[in-house]
Amino acid sequence: MIDLNTLIAVFVFVIGACIGSFLNVVALRGLSGESIVFPPSKCPKCNNKLNWYTNIPIISYCFLMGKCQFCKTHISFQYPIVELLNAILYTACFLSFGYTLKTLFLLPLISLFIVIAITDFKESVVIDIHTYIIMALGLIYSIFPQTEIGFLSSIIGLAVGFIIFEALARLGCIIAGTRAFGEGDTLIAMGIGAFFGWKMLVVIIFMSIIIQSLLTLPILFQKSIKNKDYKSAFAYFTLVLSVIAVYLFRKFNLYDIFPLILVLLLAVCIVLFWALSVILKDMRNKKETNDFLYLPFGPALVISGLISIFYQTQIIQFMKTLLNL
């Protein structure tokens, strides 16, 4: 016999899928400037109003084979992915934290994260109101005594998010002639700081840089090879090798061999400095020739935030171990 928790988990999944369907509307109409309430759901191609039975999350997409029932235009795969993702994350949140205040606050945070990722990925746009809601949720959540962070830590996290990203953004203007991060990224960081506190914010930013690098460097490397800019391609490759070298120093306990490690670290620093100087020069040149590749940082922040929701304890323990090393 199915127990009550399983039934509730199924209910949460269904609700999550339905809200996921609404998130698509919020994101796409937010980008177009339309109302999220009126008009009712319609095909963006033929403008026909969709019937209720073609608007069932996930199921309708499969039933219609990904095509509009009227004009047979292909429906973006984004719709079922967002619905399924929101449903899975809602269910995971319920199963992880149960009937708690934390669950109540995390569910809207998850949905807002998804909307921000959609708008930033599609149009490199972060709609301010979404980040303001996250900030408000974080500040309100921190007031309750049973939460992990206090109100003061939440306020400091909000301020630290602003300071770090605005400082880095302006540093980018000085070095590469363009902001390193958009204003929307600053607002996302402020919201994350308000919700997770300043200490966890720093960890999330670190994770985001790693995730962004994993996504960006292969694209930049491939683009440099395609444009026969082998010097830049080698610089990107060297940057990765430098990180691997630092890891290997620790892996094989090379820190114990002082003269050798000193020489190797000096070599790594020199190569790393050369690689960064080449990359920054390449960024300036591409900006001047309008060939500058910009990949939004918001999705990386969102992914790191979502990971931190479910694995915050493990991440903190890992960072403590890393710092002790």
Side-chain angles (χ1 to χ4, degrees):
M1 188 174 180
I2 301 177
D3 59 23
L4 181 60
N5 281 342
T6 302
L7 287 174
I8 294 176
V10 172
F11 176 75
V12 170
F13 182 91
V14 173
I15 293 299
C18 293
I19 293 177
S21 180
F22 179 65
L23 296 182
N24 279 310
V25 175
V26 172
L28 297 177
R29 293 196 180 186
L31 290 173
S32 65
E34 295 180 81
S35 167
I36 62 174
V37 180
F38 300 104
S41 296
K42 61 180 181 178
C43 172
K45 183 70 175 179
C46 64
N47 290 321
N48 278 303
K49 179 182 175 182
L50 302 181
N51 297 316
W52 68 267
Y53 53 84
T54 62
N55 237 353
I56 302 172
I58 304 171
I59 296 174
S60 290
Y61 186 90
C62 297
F63 178 75
L64 294 171
M65 301 179 67
K67 296 180 181 179
C68 171
Q69 69 174 125
F70 300 106
C71 64
K72 305 304 179 183
T73 300
H74 175 71
I75 302 171
S76 172
F77 201 49
Q78 170 191 315
Y79 290 92
I81 286 178
V82 171
E83 291 163 357
L84 183 60
L85 178 61
N86 198 66
I88 291 173
L89 290 174
Y90 268 37
T91 307
C93 188
F94 169 73
L95 294 176
S96 298
F97 308 111
Y99 311 93
T100 61
L101 179 72
K102 187 172 186 176
T103 300
L104 186 63
F105 276 86
L106 285 179
L107 294 183
L109 176 66
I110 287 169
S111 291
L112 286 165
F113 271 164
I114 291 175
V115 172
I116 288 171
I118 294 171
T119 59
D120 203 11
F121 182 77
K122 288 183 73 71
E123 300 290 343
S124 298
V125 171
V126 175
I127 299 173
D128 292 354
I129 186 62
H130 300 151
T131 59
Y132 295 153
I133 295 173
I134 292 179
M135 294 179 207
L137 281 172
L139 292 172
I140 295 170
Y141 178 64
S142 67
I143 294 173
F144 293 92
Q146 62 267 47
T147 57
E148 299 90 344
I149 64 169
F151 184 70
L152 180 60
S153 180
S154 182
I155 289 289
I156 294 173
L158 193 149
V160 168
F162 174 81
I163 292 170
I164 290 178
F165 270 78
E166 284 304 302
L168 291 174
R170 281 157 175 72
L171 184 62
C173 291
I174 296 171
I175 297 175
T178 184
R179 281 181 64 101
F181 299 100
E183 294 177 1
D185 297 327
T186 300
L187 295 176
I188 298 171
M190 291 172 69
I192 291 174
F195 209 102
F196 291 93
W198 71 270
K199 292 181 181 179
M200 198 62 202
L201 169 64
V202 174
V203 175
I204 290 173
I205 292 174
F206 179 73
M207 291 170 55
S208 302
I209 292 172
I210 294 175
I211 291 171
Q212 186 77 351
S213 298
L214 291 174
L215 295 174
T216 305
L217 287 177
I219 297 174
L220 292 173
F221 179 79
Q222 187 271 338
K223 189 173 182 181
S224 297
I225 293 294
K226 184 178 179 181
N227 295 335
K228 297 183 179 180
D229 183 7
Y230 300 117
K231 187 176 181 180
S232 295
F234 183 68
Y236 294 125
F237 182 69
T238 303
L239 193 64
V240 175
L241 283 183
S242 299
V243 175
I244 295 174
V246 173
Y247 169 76
L248 292 177
F249 290 159
R250 175 55 194 153
K251 179 73 174 176
F252 295 103
N253 294 319
L254 295 179
Y255 294 120
D256 298 333
I257 311 172
F258 180 73
L260 175 61
I261 191 61
L262 191 61
V263 173
L264 290 175
L265 281 177
L266 181 61
V268 168
C269 289
I270 293 173
V271 170
L272 190 58
F273 179 79
W274 172 83
L276 289 173
S277 65
V278 171
I279 291 170
L280 290 174
K281 184 179 180 180
D282 184 51
M283 288 173 64
R284 289 195 203 98
N285 294 337
K286 287 181 177 177
K287 185 175 183 294
E288 291 171 359
T289 58
N290 294 320
D291 190 33
F292 183 69
L293 175 65
Y294 173 75
L295 292 177
F297 193 70
L301 278 171
V302 166
I303 293 171
S304 300
L306 290 172
I307 292 173
S308 298
I309 288 175
F310 299 103
Y311 298 102
Q312 184 168 339
T313 303
Q314 293 89 329
I315 291 170
I316 292 173
Q317 186 59 45
F318 172 76
M319 291 303 296
K320 286 181 178 178
T321 303
L322 191 64
L323 290 173
N324 287 335
L325 292 176

